[in-house]
Amino acid sequence: MPRANRHHIPGQLWHITHRCHQREFLFKFAKDRKRWLEWLFEAKKRYGLIILNYIVTSNHIHLLVVDDETDAISRSLQLIAGRTAQEFNNRKSRKGAYWEDRYHATAIESGEHLLRCIVYIDMNMVRAGAVAHPSEWVHSGYHEIQSPPLRYRLIDQDKLVELCGMNSAEEMQAKHLEWLEQAIYENKGVRQSAWSEALAVGSNNFAKQVKQDMGVMASGRKVVNLEDEHMLREP
């Protein structure tokens, strides 16, 4: 059973990562990345998935979503992963697993921690050396955050502004760009495992609360102090 479903906490923000089987570059073609996004849009329509950010790389995806009472996250990922794998394998006459067995979900605190997670997601292909700036990678939420389209939106802009603690979309967009430019200038493109491998990232109180909410699922996990955040780490 997917981890985000096992760690169901209504109202919680989740940073989800899902990798292709054995880290194969099964998304190396733009048409396959585009198709994953089309199924993400379909999941939003069907299940009401609340999306805050995303990126499709050459061999994995990042998705930032809000939990609710409808089990939208696990239903959406089941749909997206199943359909993209089926279509790819049929087109390539390929057999075997397309995805790793399970996706990983990390609980993220709202406010500045959320904004840092958004920047971390946007910087993915910069860290990989594929582009010099997030704006150069088409299949990401960067463009929606900075210039929300009139139709076929994936990101819930109003929810994003609210959860980032901003007063307007313009304020959030300016802060988003400021933090991205700072990350590029300070060469903070280095991968930080906490954002995609821990059970929770945020303040000390937040990490402790998530551990309590998870109950037995978080048994044996420790809250560790990072530079700007605390994380509830895996054993």
Side-chain angles (χ1 to χ4, degrees), residues 7 32 39 74 83 86 106 121 128 139 142 146 148 160 167 169 178 185 191 201 206 209 211 216-218 223 234:
H7 299 338
D32 293 309
W39 280 113
S74 60
R83 293 301 178 86
Q86 182 182 50
T106 301
I121 292 171
H139 304 103
Y142 168 88
Q146 288 299 320
L160 183 59
N167 295 314
E178 176 188 335
Y185 177 76
R191 182 175 181 270
V201 177
F206 172 78
Q209 184 61 55
K211 180 177 180 179
V216 67
M217 297 305 303
V223 176
E234 292 278 22

Side-chain angles (χ1 to χ4, degrees), residues 2 46 58 66 68 70 105 116 143 145 153 166 196 216:
R46 289 192 192 186
S58 298
V66 182
D68 60 12
T70 66
R116 273 194 280 270
H143 304 279
I145 292 174
R153 292 188 186 186
M166 302 294 172
S196 56
V216 67

Side-chain angles (χ1 to χ4, degrees), residues 86-125:
Q86 182 182 50
E87 290 178 353
F88 183 89
N89 284 349
N90 286 343
R91 192 178 82 244
K92 297 288 188 178
S93 299
R94 177 182 180 274
K95 295 182 179 180
Y98 185 92
W99 299 98
E100 285 187 352
D101 289 342
R102 299 196 299 181
Y103 58 84
H104 183 84
T106 301
I108 305 295
E109 188 172 7
S110 59
E112 288 196 353
H113 303 285
L114 169 59
L115 192 49
R116 273 194 280 270
C117 185
I118 289 170
V119 169
Y120 178 77
I121 292 171
D122 290 338
M123 288 287 290
N124 205 280
M125 297 311 290

Side-chain angles (χ1 to χ4, degrees), residues 129-145:
V131 296
H133 191 277
S135 61
E136 298 171 20
W137 190 256
V138 176
H139 304 103
S140 72
Y142 168 88
H143 304 279
E144 275 203 58
I145 292 174

Side-chain angles (χ1 to χ4, degrees), residues 143-174:
H143 304 279
E144 275 203 58
I145 292 174
Q146 288 299 320
S147 301
L150 296 178
R151 300 177 61 193
Y152 306 114
R153 292 188 186 186
L154 286 168
I155 292 176
D156 188 325
Q157 190 86 359
D158 292 338
K159 195 70 174 177
L160 183 59
V161 170
E162 173 194 342
L163 292 172
C164 284
M166 302 294 172
N167 295 314
S168 66
E170 291 75 18
E171 180 185 0
M172 191 210 63
Q173 288 162 355

